[in-house]
């Protein structure tokens, strides 16, 4: 018995709420605003995951829909004779690989989706979006994992006298996102003390940081879409873009 699916991405609802919540963020208290920032990172990461997943799924569905039985015969010269062989065993393997990969895509996190993209497409995603944008995506994935899984936000210090505490980020999951924000000029230095550590961690919840990663996601989506020159796949792409927001 055949099956069909009617669906809508759950991220669509999140993006609709994000646009409304962004407008009202000025009304939020400190902890409420930080809670909104955590939600913001989760939604934009989910969006780019959906984008990458959709690109991969479109390519795999095209592969599975090709009429491979019309691909002709495989010719092999053996003992000075040309032999012709059906490609059916080979095309069956191609379809099986595509189907298996399609199953992997459905529940893959961002890091796995990047691996699958590199497996399915001839162009490495680093070349498509640029190495700096890839680093930003990796940093965004770290923030999303911290917030989505309720992990601690912490800073460790060296020293015994609280007045001379020096903050260190080695081994801290915030290090990678912090380095990306430093590269963008949003974090000016890593001079973290016992007095300013909250000011340091608050940067990740700021408009500047959120908008930086938001614009990274939009740029990555644009580059991935431009990279696909196969019209039938483009016709299968129906992802609602991130809402327009202003600083």
């Amino acid at each position: 018995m055949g099956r069909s699916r009617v669906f809508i991405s759950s991220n669509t609802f999140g993006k609709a709420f994000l646009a409304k919540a962004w407008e009202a963020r000025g009304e939020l208290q400190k902890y409420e605003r930080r809670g909104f920032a955590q939600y913001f990172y989760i939604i934009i990461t989910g969006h780019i995951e959906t984008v990458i997943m959709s690109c991969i799924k479109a390519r795999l569905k095209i592969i599975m829909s090709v009429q491979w039985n019309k691909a002709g015969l495989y010719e092999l010269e053996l003992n000075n004779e040309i032999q012709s062989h059906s490609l059916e065993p080979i095309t069956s393997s191609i379809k099986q690989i595509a189907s298996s990969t399609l199953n992997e895509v459905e529940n893959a996190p961002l890091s796995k989706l990047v691996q699958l993209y590199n497996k399915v497409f001839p162009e490495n995603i680093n070349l498509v979006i640029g190495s700096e944008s890839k680093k930003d995506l990796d940093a965004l994935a770290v923030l999303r994992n911290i917030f989505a899984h309720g992990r601690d936000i912490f800073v460790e210090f060296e020293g015994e006298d609280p007045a001379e505490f020096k903050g260190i980020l080695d081994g801290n999951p915030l290090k990678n996102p912090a380095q990306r924000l430093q590269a963008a000029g949003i974090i000016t230095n890593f001079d973290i003390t016992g007095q300013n550590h909250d000011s340091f961690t608050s940067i990740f919840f700021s408009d500047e940081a959120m908008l930086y990663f938001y614009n990274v996601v939009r740029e990555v989506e644009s580059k991935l879409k431009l990279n696909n020159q196969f019209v039938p796949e483009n016709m299968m792409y129906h992802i609602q873009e991130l809402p327009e927001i202003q600083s």
Side-chain angles (χ1 to χ4, degrees), residues 33-34 37-38 41 147 153 201-207 210:
R33 185 177 174 83
R34 292 189 179 190
Q38 294 183 174
Y41 287 121
F147 300 142
I153 301 168
T201 55
S202 70
I203 295 173
F204 298 97
F205 304 103
S206 67
D207 282 4
M210 286 190 284

Side-chain angles (χ1 to χ4, degrees), residues 131-199:
S131 59
E132 293 301 304
S133 291
K134 175 58 169 55
K135 292 177 184 178
D136 286 329
L137 281 190
D138 292 340
L140 178 60
V142 170
L143 289 176
R144 191 279 303 273
N145 288 342
I146 292 173
F147 300 142
H149 298 291
R151 301 297 186 248
D152 291 341
I153 301 168
F154 65 89
V155 175
E156 292 184 321
F157 295 94
E158 290 180 330
E160 298 181 2
D161 183 355
E164 298 180 358
F165 273 174
K166 179 181 179 181
I168 55 174
L169 292 179
D170 290 344
N172 191 323
L174 289 176
K175 183 177 181 179
N176 187 5
Q179 289 175 329
R180 298 312 301 162
L181 291 177
Q182 183 186 44
I186 297 172
I187 292 178
T188 55
N189 62 70
F190 288 161
D191 296 330
I192 309 169
T193 68
Q195 288 72 44
N196 72 3
H197 64 88
D198 184 66
S199 296

Side-chain angles (χ1 to χ4, degrees), residues 229-244:
Q229 302 297 317
F230 191 55
V231 174
E233 286 181 11
N234 290 329
M235 294 173 63
M236 299 169 67
Y237 187 89
H238 301 291
I239 305 300
Q240 182 188 40
E241 295 182 351
L242 285 170
E244 291 287 344

Side-chain angles (χ1 to χ4, degrees), residues 8 24 32 78 81 84 105 133 139 156 163-165 177 194 221 247:
I8 182 171
E32 295 170 340
L78 185 64
E81 293 184 1
S84 296
V105 170
S133 291
E156 292 184 321
E164 298 180 358
F165 273 174
E221 178 178 13
S247 59

Side-chain angles (χ1 to χ4, degrees), residues 23-70:
E23 294 176 0
R25 71 194 187 285
E27 303 171 16
L28 302 175
Q29 299 300 312
K30 177 180 177 180
Y31 277 22
E32 295 170 340
R33 185 177 174 83
R34 292 189 179 190
F36 166 68
Q38 294 183 174
Y39 166 84
F40 184 96
Y41 287 121
I42 292 170
I43 292 300
I44 65 172
T45 308
H47 175 75
I48 199 58
E49 285 181 339
T50 303
V51 169
I52 299 173
M53 179 185 69
S54 297
C55 291
I56 298 171
K57 287 175 69 174
R59 175 60 56 93
L60 294 173
K61 288 180 178 179
I62 290 291
I63 291 173
M64 295 170 67
S65 69
V66 170
Q67 297 182 29
W68 293 103
N69 60 319
K70 297 182 179 180

